[in-house]
């Protein structure tokens, strides 16, 4: 079925996605700097699926380390979960959120382009909507507009992906 790189793959959503993708027949490679998780998650994924995913303890903003993964693995697609994610903390540490979330996304997109990997699923957030009135939230849930730095990083990355798709005549998939 192909090889999928999961950035932030040892986190809660990433690890559950890894299990589902392995069970669906994909080869899974996980890249995570373990800033909000632990490598024991890899053991748990193996225990559940019977398959141990390849794991790289790297910061996705580290271009050299990320490039190394793409050189060692035949990556067909990427699911991008890596990034800081706490709304309240983003208000207290906005520069850290902008630096981390934008740098990881930009580096990932550049390395994907270098290796001609066009398939990306980006994990966005409902935090890109200023006034959500309905649950579950959909792309029509309200006007775009953020109330915190975390939401703005997701919004900015969505715009970067839209612009890159226009430039490369491609399509992006966004998860909310």
């Amino acid at each position: 079925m192909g090889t999928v790189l999961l950035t932030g793959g040892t986190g809660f959503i990433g690890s559950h996605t890894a299990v589902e993708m392995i069970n669906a027949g994909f080869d899974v490679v996980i890249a995570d700097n373990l800033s909000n998780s632990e490598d024991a998650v890899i053991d748990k994924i193996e225990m559940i699926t019977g398959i141990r995913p390849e794991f790289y303890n790297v910061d996705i903003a580290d271009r050299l380390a990320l490039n190394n993964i793409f050189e060692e693995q035949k990556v067909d697609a990427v699911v991008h979960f890596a990034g800081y994610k706490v709304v309240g903390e983003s208000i207290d540490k906005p520069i850290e959120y902008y630096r981390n979330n934008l740098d990881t996304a930009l580096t990932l997109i550049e390395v994907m382009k270098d290796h001609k990997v066009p398939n990306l699923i980006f994990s966005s957030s409902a935090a890109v909507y200023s006034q959500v009135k309905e649950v579950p939230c959909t792309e029509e849930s309200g006007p775009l507009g953020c109330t915190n730095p975390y939401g703005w990083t997701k919004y900015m990355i969505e715009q970067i992906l839209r612009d890159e798709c226009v430039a490369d005549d491609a399509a992006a998939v966004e998860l909310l």
Side-chain angles (χ1 to χ4, degrees), residues 4-171:
V4 176
L5 173 63
L6 294 178
T7 68
T10 60
F12 181 79
I13 295 172
S15 62
H16 283 75
T17 301
V19 167
E20 293 302 316
M21 295 191 91
I22 290 169
N23 287 340
F26 290 94
D27 294 322
V28 172
V29 176
I30 294 175
D32 199 309
N33 67 3
L34 303 174
S35 66
N36 195 29
S37 59
E38 54 188 48
D39 59 359
V41 170
I42 301 299
D43 297 331
K44 293 174 184 174
I45 293 170
E46 181 180 22
M47 186 176 66
I48 293 166
T49 66
I51 296 172
R52 186 173 192 83
E54 289 284 334
F55 172 67
Y56 293 84
N57 183 347
V58 301
D59 185 330
I60 304 305
D62 181 340
R63 186 181 178 94
L64 189 59
L66 189 58
N67 188 64
N68 186 46
I69 295 170
F70 279 79
E71 288 179 358
E72 291 180 9
Q73 304 293 328
K74 167 75 175 89
V75 177
D76 298 299
V78 177
V79 180
H80 183 43
F81 292 124
Y84 294 161
K85 64 183 183 333
V86 181
V87 170
E89 182 179 68
S90 78
I91 294 166
D92 295 333
K93 301 176 181 180
I95 298 301
E96 290 179 32
Y97 269 71
Y98 286 112
R99 171 70 67 198
N100 181 75
N101 292 0
L102 294 174
D103 281 357
T104 55
L106 290 167
T107 302
L108 177 62
I109 293 164
E110 289 170 340
V111 172
M112 288 177 67
K113 286 180 66 168
D114 290 347
H115 291 273
K116 298 179 178 25
V117 177
N119 305 307
L120 171 66
I121 296 175
F122 170 59
S123 179
S124 189
S125 171
V128 301
Y129 297 103
S130 61
Q131 301 170 353
V132 176
K133 295 180 178 155
E134 55 200 47
V135 176
C137 182
T138 69
E139 301 239 354
E140 292 78 32
S141 288
L144 291 176
C146 308
T147 60
N148 57 73
Y150 166 73
W152 280 114
T153 66
K154 294 296 190 169
Y155 179 89
M156 289 175 187
I157 296 166
E158 286 185 14
Q159 187 61 51
I160 291 165
L161 290 171
R162 281 190 289 273
D163 292 342
E164 186 58 30
C165 287
V166 169
D168 281 351
D169 194 29

